[in-house]
Amino acid sequence: MYVRALPTTDVNRNTEWFTYPGVWTTYILILFFSWLLVLSVFHCSPGMAWTIVHLAHFTVTYHSFHWKKGTPFGDDQGIYNRLTWWEQIDNGKQLTRNRKFLTVVPIVLYLIASHTTDYQHPMLFLNTLAVFVMVVAKFPHMHKVRIFGINGDQ
Amino acid sequence: MITIPYLTAVSTYFSYGLLFAFGQLRDYSRRIFDWWSTNNLHGYAPICLAHEDFYIRRLYHRIQDCFGRPISSAPDAWVDVVERRTTKSTRCLNLGSYNYLGFGSYDEYCTPLVIDSLKKFSPSTCSSRVDAGTTSVHAELEECVAKYVGKPAAIVTGMGYATNSAIIPVLIGKGGLIISDSLNHTSIVNGARGSGATIRVFQHNTPAHLERVLKEQIAEGQPRTHRPWKKIIVVVEGIYSMEGEICQLPEIVSICKKYKAYVYLDEAHSIGAIGKTGRGVCELLGVDTADVDIMMGTFTKSFGSCGGYIAGSKDLIQYLKYHCPAHLYATSISTPSAQQIISAIKVILGEDGSNRGAQKLARIRENSNFFRAELQKMGFEVLGDNDSPVMPIMLYNPAKIPAFSRECLRENVAVVVVGFPATPLLLARARICISASHSREDLIKALQVISKAGDLTGIKYFPAAPKKQEEVKDTIKLD
């Protein structure tokens, strides 16, 4: 019932909240509740709802993890202004537990979405495209890489 | 070690997620509306990028009536809190000021001496220390502070924050290594960043992790050249102001001696407040002051004045006097403030002829221990070690921050609440600072109000200690 919160050594306030207990559970619960919400609002089939959740998850996480750069605070003097959130977490160390968890979640969502829609066409294509972009963006080799200068600095 | 109920952690993340989502929604709609209206920038760039002050605009401004409340009297045990946009003020119990020994208001020994020095010298020296800003009071102050802290010499600057941010760049530069505790104050972080040295952080108050970081860094050397470090300074604080914890100084000093690193101790909150004669964390934990290389402190907390000091060996202080910009260029500390510090130190040491100093120290220790024990009995989660006058009460959920603060203000108790950037995201808290000028009745009233506010906001995360069973006189024993 109780869990211990050890203070972290991460000084970047934009990412240190991710090292505390309870984040993973909250993330999964948010996905589950949004699936229920989509089902109740749109009256669609469960598979369609999972596809919608998967694509919305892709849009939101791509924008906040891999597109927005810098931190929402002015007083860290802009030292993270060229790094996206994904490049900032865990101080840039690759293949930590948090990064592995965040890579597995879109893959699991993709599997659920494709299974519940019976691998039918327009949904399968969109889902596959989304998960491909998501997973490639999270590779260790893509750290600080800007393809064709997209999202590069001015 | 903070123990959170798991459901509270999950609900706190949900709440912040909701606040963040609403903030983003409002930002998007603001951007759409501004598309239609013309902007009045006339070709200039905006002062800050939209996402840089997102936190201030969308989260802090929603509850900004809980922060920055103006006061209109001295910060004694009771203080006049002004209602915003009026001239009305209410007398509230002051649980937020760092008034540890009660020097924050009129004192029968210190204040007449300060007024005399105000009439003899003027409020400002109008000069830096090296030009014309050193008076006899300044010289006496530096000697007094050095003797009080237990070091050969001391240098005093006019502002506590500036002491850290101006001294650290003078002590260490590129090619040096600063290892600082993860919860160090912003002034230390700014000074360390401004120095150009490499900064590494060790887990808060964990000497084992400090040793591991030291070993790794000494083995690796400087970042690209792998040459040995020119100098290694380990920066710790005496009492951490957001946790109320006392630093594990003996272990840290022994590790630094083993690896030949310098120790920089920031005693902003602990000087004058802990230890038998108020000499700070070294006296409390039995560490020889000769083992701590640089002792820094401020006069704003226990001495009721302004400014900061650095105490160390004569060579160190001589070097600082030639090189530190806060000494060479900044205006020196105002003379009446310096006199206040000298008189406060005399009172604490009993040199004014009474034992008020010893009484104050005993009272703050009693008050802190009593208050902390009572809060823990009620079921609150209170951080901090015994004897520490700073006690944060954990709130966690962002909605409880303004609720607790406003509820306490309604009952005329002024508390300070702290939330996200100053503390980690999950761990919002209400920080109580106990003073020697709080009487037992004040503390009991504070406990009642906090208990009521705690029940309303649901922050009693631990089960309350069972009350002692009352003896009932006429029970009939059934055989």
Side-chain angles (χ1 to χ4, degrees), chain B residues 169-388:
Chain B
V170 175
L171 292 177
I172 190 170
K174 198 150 171 290
L177 173 67
I178 298 180
I179 305 185
S180 87
D181 189 288
S182 69
L183 295 174
N184 269 341
H185 189 252
T186 320
S187 55
I188 299 178
V189 173
N190 276 347
R193 285 197 185 147
S195 69
T198 313
I199 308 176
R200 290 282 174 265
V201 164
F202 72 95
Q203 222 170 39
H204 173 60
N205 229 0
T206 316
H209 193 244
L210 169 65
E211 177 156 17
R212 216 169 48 224
V213 170
L214 261 174
K215 266 201 218 171
E216 250 182 66
Q217 291 303 317
I218 294 181
E220 278 184 13
Q222 292 185 30
R224 267 182 294 257
T225 58
H226 294 291
R227 296 212 190 114
W229 296 105
K230 293 203 182 135
K231 201 183 304 191
I232 303 184
I233 300 188
V234 174
V235 183
V236 288
E237 286 188 31
I239 292 188
Y240 290 92
S241 59
M242 282 300 158
E243 277 71 34
E245 276 175 22
I246 300 181
C247 156
Q248 292 188 21
L249 200 55
E251 291 89 352
I252 292 183
V253 163
S254 69
I255 291 176
C256 290
K257 276 218 261 211
K258 191 161 118 185
Y259 292 93
K260 306 270 191 322
Y262 293 111
V263 179
Y264 182 110
L265 177 65
D266 178 341
E267 289 210 88
H269 286 266
S270 52
I271 189 79
I274 54 179
K276 214 157 65 70
T277 56
R279 290 187 152 96
V281 71
C282 288
E283 188 183 12
L284 184 73
L285 299 174
V287 174
D288 186 10
T289 51
D291 286 335
V292 179
D293 303 290
I294 309 152
M295 298 178 70
M296 178 262 175
T298 60
F299 301 119
T300 42
K301 281 75 179 188
S302 311
F303 303 98
S305 178
C306 65
Y309 70 88
I310 300 261
S313 65
K314 280 204 163 41
D315 293 332
L316 171 71
I317 302 299
Q318 178 87 324
Y319 176 78
L320 285 178
K321 286 195 171 163
Y322 280 121
H323 288 93
C324 176
H327 188 260
L328 299 171
Y329 308 118
T331 314
S332 57
I333 183 176
S334 126
T335 319
S337 310
Q339 181 59 45
Q340 159 76 14
I341 303 166
I342 300 177
S343 322
I345 294 183
K346 289 216 168 80
V347 170
I348 296 177
L349 291 177
E351 286 167 15
D352 64 328
S354 69
N355 68 342
R356 282 196 312 138
Q359 276 178 6
K360 280 182 197 276
L361 285 164
R363 217 165 38 226
I364 187 176
R365 201 166 38 241
E366 256 178 56
N367 283 354
S368 322
N369 290 338
F370 168 69
F371 207 73
R372 183 175 268 115
E374 288 296 315
L375 282 177
Q376 278 171 338
K377 270 197 257 181
M378 286 198 245
F380 288 104
E381 177 161 6
V382 183
L383 308 179
D385 299 328
N386 267 330
D387 282 353
S388 151

Side-chain angles (χ1 to χ4, degrees), chain B residues 60 64-71 84:
Chain B
Y60 177 81
Q64 60 175 337
D65 66 307
C66 303
F67 307 107
R69 292 192 181 129
I71 61 175
R84 284 200 169 91

